[in-house]
Amino acid sequence: MEQVALNTVIAVMMAIFPGFLFRKFYYRGEFTKQFNQSNEFDKLLWNVFFSGVSMGVTFLSVYAFRSMSGLEVLDSLSYDTVRQIATPIADNKIPEKDLMYKTYQDLLLIIALIYAISCFFGFMLHWLVRGLRLDVHFQLFRFKNYWYYYIHGGKILYSSPGNKKPAFTMVGDCR
């Protein structure tokens, strides 16, 4: 039973948790309740999607850094070492101790980078959407907190004449 748990923990750490972090940093402030408003399947798909984006950006960033600087960063991680680690895990075994000792620092560093980039891009996307008011101008970026837009986003509610309804009638002096 503990062998299945090892596969599950690794899958969650790499395929779901970075997307969870991205979404958590994107839905913050007055929009935190939207983080839990979709069904579980949608959340899982978005988490996997944003995890893939975060991993891709991380690997491209490391590759670009290695190419530009000429430094051997994360040099213990290669296709062969990752395969030598992943093959025993897929067979429900623990990888070799020497191999893990040689690569654990780089593995922890790449996982930390993936998590940090997920948090950073979630924060930055929220900042861009709110700072540039993209949610007010484009339906695609709009949050589901309609009360926020009732109070702050009058342009959304009253941009078309058909949406204008008088709140009260004022009778004035006709002199």
Side-chain angles (χ1 to χ4, degrees):
M1 190 66 159
E2 62 271 353
Q3 295 168 345
V4 174
L6 180 62
N7 291 337
T8 305
V9 167
I10 291 171
V12 168
M13 284 178 53
M14 295 308 295
I16 298 173
F17 194 65
F20 174 85
L21 288 174
F22 178 90
R23 288 181 54 244
K24 195 66 171 167
F25 276 81
Y26 180 71
Y27 295 120
R28 58 188 175 83
E30 53 272 340
F31 308 110
T32 55
K33 289 186 179 182
Q34 188 172 343
F35 179 76
N36 292 323
Q37 283 186 346
S38 61
N39 64 27
E40 299 302 319
F41 186 68
D42 285 344
K43 286 184 221 176
L44 178 69
L45 287 179
W46 282 114
N47 287 346
V48 169
F49 173 74
F50 288 124
S51 294
V53 170
S54 298
M55 283 189 274
V57 168
T58 302
F59 293 132
L60 287 175
S61 301
V62 169
Y63 179 75
F65 180 77
R66 286 176 75 169
S67 298
M68 288 181 196
S69 69
L71 297 174
E72 289 298 321
V73 179
L74 303 172
D75 58 342
S76 71
L77 294 180
S78 66
Y79 177 76
D80 292 330
T81 57
V82 171
R83 188 177 47 79
Q84 289 173 353
I85 292 171
T87 301
I89 291 173
D91 294 334
N92 290 327
K93 297 177 184 172
I94 297 177
E96 296 176 21
K97 182 179 179 182
D98 296 335
L99 182 64
M100 288 304 293
Y101 184 74
K102 184 176 86 172
T103 61
Y104 82 94
Q105 289 178 338
D106 289 345
L107 283 172
L108 290 177
L109 181 62
I110 197 77
I111 290 170
L113 280 172
I114 291 169
Y115 291 173
I117 285 176
S118 294
C119 295
F120 175 74
F121 280 118
F123 180 81
M124 289 306 295
L125 186 61
H126 178 86
W127 181 76
L128 282 173
V129 167
R130 290 300 307 137
L132 299 175
R133 296 182 53 87
L134 295 175
D135 57 336
V136 174
H137 299 293
F138 301 104
Q139 179 82 26
L140 174 68
F141 296 111
R142 198 156 301 151
F143 294 99
K144 292 180 183 174
N145 185 354
Y146 62 90
W147 283 108
Y148 179 82
Y149 296 113
Y150 277 132
I151 295 169
H152 295 99
K155 181 177 179 181
I156 296 170
L157 302 174
Y158 302 117
S159 59
S160 66
N163 287 341
K164 291 184 181 181
K165 295 181 183 174
F168 58 91
T169 304
M170 189 167 130
V171 177
D173 192 10
C174 295
R175 295 184 217 185

